[in-house]
Amino acid sequence: MLNSSLKAIRGSFVDFVDDPFSRSEVECVRYLQDGLMILENGKILEFDTYANLSDRYSHLPTEIYEGLILPGFIDLHVHYPQTEMIAAYGEQLLEWLDKYVFPTEQKFQDLDYARKIASFFLDQLLLNGTTTAVVLTTIFSGSVEVLFEEAQKRSMRLIAGQMLMSRNAPNFLINEPHKADAENRKLIHKWHGKDRLLYAITPRFAITSTETELKLAGKLKAEFPDVYIHTHLSENLKEIEFTASLFPDSTDYLNVYEQFGLIGDRSIFAHCVHLSDSAFQRLSLAGAAIAYCPTSNLFLGSGLFNLEQAKSKAYPVKVGLGSDVGAGTSFSQLKSMGEAYRISQLQQQNLSAFKAFYLATLGGAKALSLDPKLGNFDLGKEADFVVLEPNATPLLTLRNSAYTGNLPLDAIASQLFGLMILGDERAIKATYINGELAQFRD
Ligand SMILES: [Zn+2]
């Protein structure tokens, strides 16, 4: 009996079945030169070579793509209210926050304004092939509501939460901790687990939270163990110094969060540029994740993240990529990968294309403990994927002119590398959310 909800996607597929930082790349990459993916109700029902599946599914409506089909990109750390103040000149973290970010975030108490930016922001994610994001908002609970509503309209998988701030910020961005706690509880009840939406308890960073607020955050996390913790950690040297002065009893920055029960396998720490060996080990042992934000770390002059240490065999930490707009300079995870490559080069490290694309797909899903649902083309997973156009520009076309026909794996690696160094949203031919076409570039 023909099931009308079934459909097929045919093309060249690339995804990852394991972590290429932990074993040989060829064992981790899955490449189907002529593959077929069968979708049912937003999930992957079958995935194999066209030759193996075509007999059974030849009757289905089939969308055929040139280019490379990959799992949708996962952005582990991005601030939607900062969309409009991207590319703000001349400062490092703390001064940049005061001068540009805080005045912008104030505008989000206006719900119509917040909705307009939330909608623009989510469309930017889709244009750039990002299908899952972990998003920071503002202290205004309405700014979280409109973001969730807009993501729900688009069937996106989104993790977000109200920003907690109770000191060291302008008065207009201070929220009383008990009031914020009550607002968080309401938001968790309303949104956590609704459709594809999940909640993150989000202290901005240790500097802007009182001990009372962090205590309440820890208590909330204990009550709702499957919500996320999302915050910043060790981004900038002055920030680290200031944090140490505010929490003299903590042994280091990470220890502030540890003391309040905020570190575990659903904790996401953005940046981690300046971490001791001990902090990397404690993140690893706790199963916590790092959101590595390359374009942001370079733009704010924060420093060079040590990816090799984070992914060390002895104490591997879960790592994914964050665009960190508006300190990050692009929504494109291709750009994040390209900057990550340059940061590795500056430390005499190498970052292969397969490793970089792993970070933006299955690596991100593992960082969120969502790999049973997302991150590759295993059967039963949610069908979020992108179609990449390796010849998106005349320059890429010239560079790739040797690649035609049935390509070996090293040619695929080279095409992906070209995209991460030279590509941007022009290379995103199509973005699918939950099995449906959400964005198409003519
Ligand atoms: Zn950030």
Side-chain angles (χ1 to χ4, degrees), residues 78-296:
V78 58
H79 299 249
Y80 99 82
Q82 296 176 16
T83 303
E84 66 188 88
M85 45 73 50
I86 191 169
Y89 170 75
E91 305 293 352
Q92 297 214 344
L93 178 65
L94 298 179
E95 299 76 16
W96 173 83
L97 286 169
D98 281 334
K99 191 167 166 182
Y100 299 112
V101 174
F102 293 157
T104 308
E105 290 189 2
Q106 184 182 14
K107 293 154 86 176
F108 286 75
Q109 55 193 312
D110 174 347
L111 286 189
D112 291 337
Y113 187 77
R115 185 181 300 280
K116 187 181 99 179
I117 300 294
S119 175
F120 181 90
F121 164 83
L122 293 171
D123 290 343
Q124 282 294 307
L125 294 184
L126 296 174
L127 263 180
N128 284 282
T130 294
T131 53
T132 291
V134 187
V135 186
L136 298 104
T137 60
T138 68
I139 65 156
F140 308 111
S141 63
S143 73
V144 190
E145 297 265 7
V146 296
L147 178 70
F148 276 140
E149 285 167 16
E150 291 299 315
Q152 190 180 33
K153 272 187 212 165
R154 290 162 178 80
S155 298
M156 286 180 79
R157 196 165 260 298
L158 201 92
I159 300 170
Q162 181 177 356
M163 191 88 96
L164 301 177
M165 296 172 74
S166 52
R167 65 169 161 173
N168 295 315
N171 281 337
F172 56 76
L173 284 188
I174 297 285
N175 201 3
E176 196 281 313
H178 291 91
K179 176 169 168 279
D181 186 61
E183 290 167 341
N184 261 267
R185 285 167 188 276
K186 263 191 206 156
L187 288 166
I188 290 170
H189 284 299
K190 183 163 176 193
W191 292 108
H192 183 64
K194 181 147 187 198
D195 295 340
R196 305 183 75 203
L197 307 171
L198 295 163
Y199 200 78
I201 300 165
T202 313
R204 171 167 227 127
F205 56 174
I207 288 174
T208 44
S209 280
T210 57
E211 295 207 0
T212 302
E213 184 163 66
L214 293 176
K215 232 176 250 169
L216 287 168
K219 191 163 166 271
L220 193 59
K221 170 67 182 168
E223 275 178 54
F224 298 94
D226 66 338
V227 305
Y228 291 86
I229 297 290
H230 182 203
T231 188
H232 298 84
L233 173 64
S234 292
E235 175 176 5
N236 167 289
L237 294 175
K238 274 165 77 176
E239 170 215 13
I240 294 167
E241 215 176 286
F242 191 14
T243 303
S245 75
L246 293 170
F247 297 92
D249 296 336
S250 295
T251 53
D252 63 10
Y253 194 159
L254 178 61
N255 185 239
V256 176
Y257 298 132
E258 283 170 333
Q259 284 190 343
F260 294 100
L262 300 175
I263 168 166
D265 66 358
R266 288 196 165 211
S267 300
I268 304 144
F269 296 102
H271 304 299
C272 301
V273 171
H274 310 279
L275 281 192
S276 64
D277 294 353
S278 149
F280 273 117
Q281 287 179 15
R282 282 141 58 209
L283 287 172
S284 171
L285 293 171
I290 295 174
Y292 173 23
C293 306
T295 74
S296 166

